[in-house]
Amino acid sequence: MTATNSAADSQDVIVIENLNKWYGNFHVLRDINLHVKKGERIVICGPSGSGKSTTIRCINRLEEFQEGSLVVDGVEMIEDVKNIEKIRRDVGMVFQHFNLFPHLTILENLTLGPIWVQKKPKAEAEEIAMKYLERVKIPDQADKYPGQLSGGQQQRVAIARSLCMNPNIMLFDEPTSALDPEMIKEVLDVMVELAEEGMTMICVTHEMGFAKKVADRVIFMDAGQIVEENEPNEFFNNPQNERTKLFLSQILGH
Amino acid sequence: MKEFQPIAARPAPIKTVGFTAWLRDNLFSTIPNAVVTLSVIALLAYYLPLIFDWAFWSANFTGTTEDACVKEGACWVFINAWSYQFFYGTYPVEEVWRINLTLVLLVMVIAASFTLPKSIRLKASITSWLLLPVVGIAILDGRLLGLEVVSTDLWGGFTLNVFMAAASIIVAFPFSFLWALGRRSEMPFIRSVSVIFIEFFRGVPVLSLFFMGSVMLPLFFAEGTNVDKLIRVWLVLIFFMSGYMAEVFRGGFQAVPSGQYEAADSIGLSYWQKILLIILPQVIKVSMPNILATFVMLFKNTTFLLIIGIPEVVQTLQTALSNSYWLGGHALEGYLFVFLVFWGSCFSMSVLARRIERQMNTDKRD
């Protein structure tokens, strides 16, 4: 364990300082600084290719970075497999394309982590899984396979799968972008509920209604850097940066 | 406000379903098609009776010697008289139960892989598959079990083809998976070794590999050691098969979306948990048709063993054809028999594989 940066608040669960990342010669993340407090809900938006997803994927080390420091739950992310696996246990992630395991039933998808990573007995893991399936309101689908569920149901299963690991932090990577319009609400409802229970959340999303409703802070990114961050009211009604204004007018203007 | 009224489903128009519609669509859709259909029917009408006459009505079924073949049709007496050798080679008659027992074990392991309760199926079937070659060799050879030792010189016939193919694929399966993983590895040494291995065994004809196994390989062993010829050939088949299957698996790996790796990483699975629990089952599922194709190829390639003098079924057939009591020219019956035995086995494997594919297909909504 490495002590968190002295400048950071002791309540911060994620501290990102001067994060820089390159894909080959392409500079994708440029001097990212972000502190997230426990229980804080953060929405990241921005045009595609702006580095939103890459940023949150650095947090559970699905992406590596070359410069800067990233401390999650007091553990500094360095080239150390033990730390990475510890972080991955504490940080849940929900993907745009759900990424459920198609060869396993819903219940098996949910119990895989608790059984193999947390070494829980099968019965206990199934109990936990059913608890979270009930929370996302699809306990009756437990024995089906992911391919038999609708997109919205699959995404709720994916959220439940992350919750089964009892994470401190949840990362959402465009969780509603691949869904039919009619299914977006059922997923957002689950996310709102989670936010109200005090989960620390970072969501990459363009659901501005969701941002207004639950976010403590909205971050706008473009060209690999954070352009603007503010609490939602200020962010939407009084953007400080021209680029933010343009973006908001594009996505809210129709 | 208007209420949304769904329209009730109606049956399809009669013209598009049923037997006559099928005939019209598939056999008589155009004039050239109709001509082809009619000529095929005419050809069948002419040749089928001739074939049936040769194979059944004018054929000789009973008897034990060539003299019994008096009618002009096929002499099935030849097959009958040699059937023991065709199936079991020169394995002693009083010990032949050991071959049958091994076959039964093979069938039981296959059946167990489908019918065991799901909770223990994976562990039980993997264990029994891996034990099978060891147990099979112990039974056939007899040394370890205190049975009478049957030298491998006496093993032969179609069961040898089956055993060689089965024993090779069982051992090659895990190896080829490792080679495929190695080829995808980010470590340059592991990757180049894998690429060289795979490309070598894919790029060399299997016949030359058999010669290497039987002639060259002994030169590498220490003087005085004598590794059994069948074991040398077994090694060759394993290497050959794993080179091919590694490429099959590589295709399977490429078909698994990167999101599966990320999801497995994000819940904290270790590398081997991720590979074995998440990736491998999906790789096997997409590779199933090609795994079967590769296995069928290997199975048929076991007939090449006759080149290096191993008495598998075709070699046994040639011995029978040159036997001085059976010089009446029974090659047609003999090869037809080999043809049918192989075709029957390969076809049943296809049926089996299709069943496995159906079982693994979890995409369909019900």
Side-chain angles (χ1 to χ4, degrees), chain A residues 57 60 62 85 88 91 93 95 99-103 108 112-113 116-117 119 145 147-150 161 165, chain B residues 118-119 259-260 262-271 273 277-279 281-282 362-366:
Chain A
R57 286 157 61 90
N60 66 348
L62 287 183
E85 291 193 340
R88 282 178 177 163
V91 180
M93 186 161 199
F95 300 86
N99 298 355
L100 295 177
F101 306 128
H103 60 296
E108 287 165 343
L112 194 75
W116 290 91
V117 179
K119 312 284 178 206
Y145 285 95
Q148 298 169 307
L149 267 55
S150 74
R161 179 174 68 181
M165 297 297 288
Chain B
K118 215 183 158 197
S119 50
Q260 293 291 314
E262 292 171 0
D265 283 339
S266 77
I267 58 173
L269 294 177
S270 71
Y271 176 78
Q273 285 173 340
L277 297 170
I278 306 300
I279 308 302
Q282 300 187 54
T362 54
D363 296 338
K364 293 263 160 58
R365 287 161 184 252
D366 58 9

Side-chain angles (χ1 to χ4, degrees), chain A residues 34-48:
Chain A
L34 177 65
H35 291 210
V36 182
K37 287 193 185 63
K38 190 166 172 36
E40 212 176 0
R41 279 89 50 153
I42 293 186
V43 163
I44 304 179
C45 59
S48 57

Side-chain angles (χ1 to χ4, degrees), chain A residues 26-186:
Chain A
F26 180 58
H27 197 172
V28 275
L29 294 182
R30 306 178 187 180
D31 294 339
I32 302 286
N33 284 290
L34 177 65
H35 291 210
V36 182
K37 287 193 185 63
K38 190 166 172 36
E40 212 176 0
R41 279 89 50 153
I42 293 186
V43 163
I44 304 179
C45 59
S48 57
S50 60
K52 323 176 285 286
S53 297
T54 314
T55 306
I56 67 165
R57 286 157 61 90
C58 282
I59 295 174
N60 66 348
R61 202 48 177 262
L62 287 183
E63 301 280 355
E64 292 181 356
F65 54 89
Q66 285 79 27
E67 276 179 14
S69 81
L70 200 164
V71 179
V72 180
D73 265 346
V75 179
E76 174 140 29
M77 297 293 250
I78 43 175
E79 295 271 343
D80 184 332
V81 180
K82 264 184 197 146
N83 283 0
I84 292 169
E85 291 193 340
K86 182 188 179 311
I87 291 306
R88 282 178 177 163
R89 276 175 230 179
D90 290 349
V91 180
M93 186 161 199
V94 175
F95 300 86
Q96 179 176 4
H97 296 289
F98 333 133
N99 298 355
L100 295 177
F101 306 128
H103 60 296
L104 302 176
T105 64
I106 299 306
L107 192 64
E108 287 165 343
N109 263 279
L110 266 63
T111 54
L112 194 75
I115 290 176
W116 290 91
V117 179
Q118 298 176 331
K119 312 284 178 206
K120 287 188 174 146
K122 197 175 169 212
E124 190 190 335
E126 284 181 353
E127 202 177 305
I128 297 171
M130 287 313 293
K131 187 179 95 189
Y132 284 111
L133 273 186
E134 264 155 45
R135 249 182 77 176
V136 299
K137 300 175 188 72
I138 35 177
D140 48 322
Q141 311 283 0
D143 293 323
K144 290 200 181 163
Y145 285 95
Q148 298 169 307
L149 267 55
S150 74
Q153 290 173 324
Q154 289 193 47
Q155 193 60 296
R156 283 186 280 156
V157 171
I159 295 174
R161 179 174 68 181
S162 294
L163 292 178
C164 281
M165 297 297 288
N166 198 16
N168 298 326
I169 302 161
M170 285 286 286
L171 306 173
F172 291 86
D173 189 2
E174 307 206 29
T176 54
S177 303
L179 295 177
D180 285 349
E182 286 183 311
M183 291 168 183
I184 292 178
K185 187 177 175 296
E186 63 188 52

Side-chain angles (χ1 to χ4, degrees), chain B residues 273-291:
Chain B
Q273 285 173 340
K274 172 175 73 179
I275 294 295
L276 294 177
L277 297 170
I278 306 300
I279 308 302
L280 181 59
Q282 300 187 54
V283 167
I284 291 181
K285 184 186 153 190
V286 287
S287 313
M288 205 55 218
N290 289 333
I291 292 173

